[in-house]
Amino acid sequence: MPPARGTPPKPPAQVVSTEPPPVLREFRGVWVASVANIDWPSKRTLSTAEQQTELLTLLDRAAELKLNAVIFQVRPAADALYESSIEPWSEYLTGAQGRRPDPFWDPLSFVIREAHARGMELHAWFNPYRARHTDARSPLTKTHIARTNPALVKPYAGYLWMDPGEPAVRARTLRVVLDVVKRYDIDGVHIDDYFYPYPETDRRGRPILFPDATSWTRYQKSGGKLSRADWRRENVNKLVEELHEGIHKTKPWVRFGISPFGIWRPGYPEQIRGLDAYERLYADARKWLHEGWLDYFTPQLYWPTTSRAQSYPVLLDWWASENRKSRHLWPGNFTSRAGGRGTGAFSVSELMEQIRVTRLNPAASGNVHFSMKSFLINQASMNDTLRADAYTALALPPASPWLVTAAPPAPVVKLAQNGGLWRITLGPEGRAAPWQWMIRLRTDSAWITMMLPGSTTQWTVPPTLGANTIAVTSINRVGTEGSTVTLPLVLSPGSSPAGTSAPSPARSGRRDVR
């Protein structure tokens, strides 16, 4: 019988595939800067409990926005936001360089554990050369490199800077990074755009030269033939190559990423204008990409899509064309300018456009946002826009198949009913647990994806979802998916799970409806 006049016809029933859909792969990172207390901790005078509360709030917000990686600054200026026998505690944590937290805690151990509990990666972010920021307030402690080996540290425009031309500086940075890789369960190592310092001028507008005459003269006397500029670039190249090699020798699954200034050289491509990072920072980022000395590349594309001289899409296309080793390309976005004020500010809709442009490029697979503070204050309601537009669905970071690690074990899944609830027992074939379990639940209207730590052995299906099928997939440390076990969920007669609350997604797995 046709519907009565004026009554709209019922929409056809939604057909849900019997097979679980592939999970979305996209890197969604955010920088958490500790230098100058930009993001965390908000002040140098917070108690341990206040610092931990801020960090948990930060991680909860990142999880709510469906971000999947936190890039956490642990070495802003030859110091440490973790327990180190090499470098002193950072003043940005305790208010005085070298002062141990009291009550004691290790922020890096804490943030790794809590990020992993929320299904997010944690990348440790190091500044390779800066030894003191202009924002520093406390005196240098006796264990700081500027006190223990002052010949390696140079004053520059109010900063202290470790001389990249000194082999001992390169060895120290490598030692610091590998110490963290060995002792902490991080997912990645990250260095940013500070190599040789950004050029500054004096009060008369004259360029301030970097004072590396001692190391340069020593190089020349040893028979070195490179020009001074090429020698400086080679100093940085050696550090990048040794970091890449050392990290993977220590833990093959830990990814190494770099976020250089977004322009390699003016004129590449032709319309681009701006700072010459190759010539002024001595950063040959194109070479690092060509050589594959990194696992992910995050050029800081901090300009709008409408800018011709620093065009976001044009620069992204150019970097993609230079990615000969097919490493991950995850451009950095100046998210703190979205909805902000002043020079360089742009709209939140422009930020959405940058994410859209990234997704349209087949060689790019994610974005990294600077910085977390803009999400914490929900600047210009950007969080609401992200949740409604760009980040509606959960995503896993893309896999890194060139990294060598054990294949994910096949899952062993057992189901049991208890009071109308489905209790799931999870385990691997063999002894080695996977890095994560991907749980996909089929309902009458959609597949719902949830991520659980690989250490999870018992789990209850949230009864309010009305799931009728479960699919379990193991995932290893480099993001490779293993085999999938799919089982029907059929309640016995008379059982009813109604009225039982589901576990919190923030602590018991991340959820996505597709």
Side-chain angles (χ1 to χ4, degrees):
M1 177 182 294
R5 185 173 297 175
T7 302
K10 292 182 179 180
Q14 185 173 352
V15 178
V16 181
S17 169
T18 58
E19 295 297 322
V23 68
L24 176 64
R25 294 281 188 159
E26 180 179 55
F27 193 81
R28 299 173 183 171
V30 61
W31 280 291
V32 176
S34 58
V35 66
N37 299 98
I38 291 173
D39 293 306
W40 181 87
S42 62
K43 293 182 290 187
R44 304 168 208 215
T45 56
L46 297 181
S47 68
T48 290
E50 289 170 330
Q51 291 172 351
Q52 291 176 346
T53 297
E54 280 195 352
L55 202 46
L56 291 174
T57 299
L58 180 157
L59 293 171
D60 284 341
R61 178 61 55 85
E64 290 166 7
L65 293 173
K66 294 186 172 67
L67 305 183
N68 54 30
V70 172
I71 299 173
F72 184 73
Q73 192 172 33
V74 298
R75 191 206 198 202
D79 51 4
L81 277 90
Y82 59 94
E83 190 170 26
S84 172
S85 62
I86 305 171
E87 296 187 311
W89 285 100
S90 175
E91 72 168 271
Y92 300 117
L93 183 70
T94 62
Q97 189 178 89
R99 180 185 294 163
R100 178 184 172 95
D102 184 21
F104 176 78
W105 72 303
D106 186 325
L108 183 53
S109 290
F110 182 92
V111 75
I112 290 169
R113 182 179 69 249
E114 294 295 334
H116 288 172
R118 290 160 175 77
M120 291 185 290
E121 294 186 353
L122 194 289
H123 295 220
W125 166 17
F126 301 81
N127 190 289
Y129 297 116
R130 187 170 57 214
R132 187 170 174 86
H133 194 271
T134 55
D135 183 71
R137 300 171 193 168
S138 72
L140 294 171
T141 186
K142 63 182 180 180
T143 59
H144 189 269
I145 188 173
R147 298 279 302 276
T148 61
N149 205 334
L152 300 180
V153 180
K154 308 298 179 184
Y156 184 82
Y159 295 90
L160 290 180
W161 214 265
M162 290 178 279
D163 181 1
E166 294 283 358
V169 166
R170 185 167 69 250
R172 183 186 180 95
T173 293
L174 186 64
R175 181 184 170 208
V176 166
V177 171
L178 296 187
D179 173 61
V180 170
V181 174
K182 290 172 186 173
R183 293 193 296 118
Y184 292 87
D185 192 22
I186 58 173
D187 302 285
V189 167
H190 187 93
I191 61 174
D192 54 26
D193 54 317
Y194 290 95
F195 300 102
Y196 281 81
Y198 279 83
E200 301 277 0
T201 57
D202 63 17
R203 293 179 180 178
R204 297 183 181 181
R206 297 172 300 187
I208 300 175
L209 304 179
F210 185 71
D212 59 356
T214 300
S215 54
W216 165 239
T217 301
R218 186 189 311 122
Y219 168 75
Q220 290 180 302
K221 288 182 178 179
S222 71
K225 302 299 183 183
L226 296 176
S227 69
R228 195 167 190 170
D230 285 340
W231 167 75
R232 285 175 170 175
R233 275 185 289 274
E234 186 59 19
N235 293 331
V236 178
N237 290 343
K238 286 178 180 178
L239 176 65
V240 170
E241 184 179 15
E242 288 178 17
L243 283 170
H244 177 257
E245 181 179 344
I247 290 164
H248 293 135
K249 273 188 176 180
T250 305
K251 287 183 180 175
W253 62 87
V254 173
R255 277 160 293 168
F256 177 43
I258 307 179
S259 54
F261 186 72
I263 298 170
W264 179 61
R265 304 203 70 180
Y268 292 84
E270 186 176 358
Q271 73 188 62
I272 297 301
R273 302 291 180 268
L275 176 77
D276 190 339
Y278 176 88
E279 193 62 41
R280 306 303 295 276
L281 307 182
Y282 306 98
D284 192 354
R286 187 178 72 166
K287 179 179 179 64
W288 312 334
L289 195 58
H290 283 181
E291 298 290 343
W293 289 343
L294 41 78
D295 301 302
Y296 67 92
F297 190 71
T298 300
Q300 296 177 16
L301 304 187
Y302 283 177
W303 307 279
T305 56
T306 54
S307 170
R308 176 171 172 76
Q310 300 88 27
S311 169
Y312 185 101
V314 169
L315 283 165
L316 181 61
D317 286 347
W318 185 82
W319 283 116
S321 72
E322 298 295 329
N323 189 9
R324 297 175 180 175
K325 301 288 188 179
S326 298
R327 297 303 190 242
H328 297 306
L329 178 56
W330 302 329
N333 305 80
F334 207 154
T335 302
S336 294
R337 285 181 176 170
R341 298 179 180 178
T343 304
F346 48 78
S347 66
V348 172
S349 61
E350 164 62 26
L351 175 63
M352 298 302 111
E353 177 64 9
Q354 292 173 18
I355 295 172
R356 189 188 72 85
V357 167
T358 303
R359 288 173 172 172
L360 288 174
N361 191 312
S365 55
N367 295 87
V368 182
H369 299 278
F370 186 86
S371 65
M372 189 65 208
K373 186 175 182 178
S374 55
F375 294 143
L376 288 171
I377 64 174
N378 193 16
Q379 182 167 292
S381 299
M382 65 170 58
N383 296 356
D384 309 271
T385 304
L386 277 169
R387 280 190 290 251
D389 185 343
Y391 295 160
T392 59
L394 180 145
L396 293 185
S400 304
W402 57 87
L403 297 181
V404 179
T405 192
V412 177
V413 183
K414 297 179 181 178
L415 305 179
Q417 279 188 25
N418 187 344
L421 300 177
W422 283 108
R423 310 282 188 186
I424 313 298
T425 300
L426 297 168
E429 277 191 3
R431 296 182 178 181
W435 171 236
Q436 289 180 313
W437 297 113
M438 179 165 62
I439 309 293
R440 284 170 287 185
L441 300 171
R442 183 181 185 273
T443 71
D444 291 338
S445 58
W447 278 92
I448 298 170
T449 300
M450 306 180 77
M451 303 305 302
L452 300 175
S455 58
T456 304
T457 57
Q458 300 287 329
W459 187 68
T460 301
V461 177
T464 54
L465 299 179
N468 54 52
T469 305
I470 184 170
V472 178
T473 307
S474 55
I475 297 177
N476 71 4
R477 202 62 193 262
V478 298
T480 305
E481 294 180 31
S483 58
T484 298
V485 171
T486 303
L487 297 170
L489 300 176
V490 181
L491 288 171
S492 59
S495 297
S496 175
T500 305
S501 61
S504 167
R507 296 299 178 100
S508 301
R510 304 184 68 191
R511 181 186 304 174
D512 172 40
V513 179
R514 298 190 72 194

